[in-house]
Amino acid sequence: MAMAFKMATTGIWVTDECKKSYMEMKWKKVYRYIVFKIDEKSKLVTVDKVGSSGESYDDLAASLPEDDCRYAVFDFDFVTVDNCRKSKIFFIAWAPTASRIRAKILYATSKDGLRRALDGISYEVQATDAAEMGFDVITDRAK
């Protein structure tokens, strides 16, 4: 039986699959990104899509729906000015303008619970359109 972790204020639960996939991304570098969604009927946060380690930030951006909210985590690898290889995990709260008000409220009130379940996130980006989560935003934050 799968375990789930409840987000106190909203009654939404984070499934074990979310945490397991996140740990595989963080420690084993199996995935470049993970997209999560809330199933409003079951009240569960589930894995919507995973991007293999060979996929890019553009692939993540393209996988987000234009008319519904999602959460995503992205493992950003980069080289510092000192020529050190680094990796930072970004949490993205995606709430496009075209999404339903109810969905925006549900995702906004459930976000902190999911973030607490996913240990080791470096930065958070909130976006309502592609420009607000552009690759330039990610690279500027990681510096």
Side-chain angles (χ1 to χ4, degrees), residues 25 32-33 56-57 60 72-76 88-90 92:
M25 181 186 85
R32 174 67 58 205
Y33 65 85
S56 70
Y57 188 73
L60 165 61
V73 287
F74 178 72
D75 189 3
F76 179 55
K88 297 287 183 185
I89 296 177
F90 280 78
I92 300 165

Side-chain angles (χ1 to χ4, degrees), residues 10 12 38 40 65-71 93-112 126-129 132:
T10 59
I12 300 294
I38 297 175
E40 291 183 36
E66 293 179 19
D67 60 352
D68 201 4
C69 301
R70 292 290 187 272
Y71 303 117
W94 173 249
T97 309
S99 58
R100 299 179 348 262
I101 297 290
R102 178 181 168 88
K104 289 178 189 178
I105 293 169
L106 182 61
Y107 276 77
T109 56
S110 303
K111 178 184 67 168
D112 289 341
Q126 296 187 35
T128 59
D129 63 36
E132 291 179 352

